[in-house]
Amino acid sequence: MSQIFSAHEMLERLVAFPTVSKSSNRDLIDFVQDYLQSHGVPVTVLPNGKGDKAALLATLGPVGPGGVVLSGHSDVVPVEGQDWSSDPWRLRARDGRLFGRGACDMKGFCAAALAMVPQFQAAGLKRPIHIAISYDEEIGCFGVQPLIDYLTKTLPRPEAVIVGEPSEMTVLNAHKGTWSLVTRVTGYEVHSSICHTGVSAVMAAARLVTWLEDRMLENAKNASAVGPASGFAPPYTTLHVGRIKGGSSGNITAGYCSFPVDIRVMPGEDMDQWLQLYLDHVSQMQAKLRKVRPEASISVAVNARVAGLTAEVDGPAEALVKQLTGDHISRQAGFGSEAGLFQEAGFSTTICGPGSMDQAHQPDEFISLDQLDHCTAFMRSLSERLSA
């Protein structure tokens, strides 16, 4: 027998699945699949290579062009080390707010979409609504790519993709792209009294870090010279190193050093060019080190590449969301999302979802009941539009 849930009740079910990115999300996906199939909705499940995680795509209404994708991710960030006042995996209501890990980011959007399934079906849709749920967004947006590939190769092209990241149900039409890199420097150990015969991986790494900061300072200077060109803060590409690890002793040239690199690229700039600029400098640095010791080396591993979202000129996704929300102001997101990857694949994409990113990833994460109701009303308006 098919079950009927309110958005609140559906969110309670979704939060109860502890889908931290390091863990499987299959229990949640199995629940959603069973729920959708109980309503007669065709579902495609796209497992990863190990089978411990999966993405899901469901289509309501006719299979045809001009539909809308409602996209969310199932994974959440960890709760370890955070001071929660209650069980993070049990949704708790208090003072008009619903508390639980993922309530805001972004199971609230998924819950609203799933709870609307019976109404979507009863609406007599003329164009389809696709519900897409991914995995591993929080650690690099890896799980959405199978969904994008499936949409591209299998289904008629949708008119718009709406990624339901927390935006307080306002329109976010752009965000920076992200490179997540790890740089590893291999030096050559000698006693520090004869350091000229060795290679210090730590000192070489320090020069690379300084080079990255110098590029960012140049970006800031150039941005201030022309004035803020966007709503981004800061309005330029940033290159950041948050930690560094290496060496074995203060009187030995370091044989090893590693550090992560975070590059946030402004929309409209070439992401690949920024990576290549860094790789070229690394290659030059390595050549210098090898003149001292041929064993020295520097490697750069790409942990994740998340495409930026660029404001579209007359984009149908943004226009649709503005019509449905009545919010005609375009804003920019300070965070990354799966939206840029959809756009990069050729889909008109924008961000609009319930809740505020200020509450995401925090202890006692919450979404307000008002925001959840606002999202449900948005879904209802979408259904009416696609049924007209």
Side-chain angles (χ1 to χ4, degrees), residues 239-261:
L239 302 90
H240 175 257
V241 174
R243 57 187 172 85
I244 191 166
K245 181 180 180 181
S248 58
S249 175
N251 62 353
I252 300 175
T253 57
Y256 176 80
C257 188
S258 67
F259 57 91
V261 179

Side-chain angles (χ1 to χ4, degrees), residues 103-372:
C104 173
D105 185 18
M106 58 178 298
K107 291 180 177 180
F109 179 81
C110 296
L114 291 170
M116 278 291 297
V117 163
Q119 295 184 52
F120 287 155
Q121 287 183 304
L125 295 170
K126 302 294 192 302
R127 290 183 285 160
I129 292 176
H130 308 282
I131 297 176
I133 301 177
S134 69
Y135 59 89
D136 283 355
E137 188 273 349
E138 297 289 1
I139 58 173
C141 295
F142 301 117
V144 75
Q145 198 58 57
L147 284 170
I148 293 173
D149 292 342
Y150 185 86
L151 276 168
T152 301
K153 297 174 183 177
T154 308
L155 295 178
R157 182 160 292 269
E159 176 190 29
V161 176
I162 302 170
V163 176
E165 290 284 358
S167 71
E168 298 183 290
M169 296 306 298
T170 63
V171 178
L172 302 179
N173 68 357
H175 64 66
K176 294 181 180 181
T178 303
W179 283 110
S180 177
L181 315 173
V182 176
T183 303
R184 297 178 174 89
V185 184
T186 300
Y188 188 84
E189 292 184 340
V190 298
H191 193 276
S192 60
S193 64
I194 52 170
C195 61
H196 65 291
T197 65
V199 171
S200 170
V202 166
M203 296 182 75
R207 292 198 295 276
L208 290 173
V209 172
T210 299
W211 182 89
L212 289 164
E213 185 182 32
D214 287 346
R215 300 292 78 69
M216 182 167 63
L217 293 174
E218 288 177 4
N219 293 344
K221 182 179 179 180
N222 292 336
S224 63
V226 299
S230 70
F232 286 98
Y236 52 84
T237 293
T238 58
L239 302 90
H240 175 257
V241 174
R243 57 187 172 85
I244 191 166
K245 181 180 180 181
S248 58
S249 175
N251 62 353
I252 300 175
T253 57
Y256 176 80
C257 188
S258 67
F259 57 91
V261 179
D262 177 273
I263 305 177
R264 305 267 172 166
V265 182
M266 284 286 289
E269 294 186 11
D270 188 334
M271 284 192 65
D272 295 338
Q273 188 175 40
W274 273 106
L275 176 62
Q276 192 59 51
L277 185 67
Y278 180 53
L279 293 177
D280 289 346
H281 183 71
V282 165
S283 179
Q284 294 168 15
M285 174 72 75
Q286 179 177 260
K288 292 178 182 178
L289 300 183
R290 285 182 170 174
K291 288 181 179 179
V292 180
R293 296 298 313 190
E295 301 91 340
S297 65
I298 308 174
S299 67
V300 178
V302 177
N303 279 354
R305 176 191 181 277
V306 180
L309 178 66
T310 302
E312 300 173 2
V313 178
D314 299 324
E318 183 177 350
L320 172 65
V321 172
K322 286 181 175 179
Q323 290 169 7
L324 295 176
T325 62
D327 173 34
H328 298 289
I329 301 174
S330 298
R331 302 170 181 84
Q332 294 74 44
F335 53 85
S337 78
E338 296 170 336
L341 293 167
F342 277 105
Q343 186 183 66
E344 191 174 53
F347 298 100
S348 178
T349 308
T350 197
I351 296 172
C352 182
S356 168
M357 196 56 81
D358 291 344
Q359 278 81 56
H361 299 194
Q362 301 297 313
D364 287 343
E365 177 183 345
F366 71 86
I367 189 171
S368 72
L369 283 166
D370 286 345
Q371 280 289 300
L372 201 58

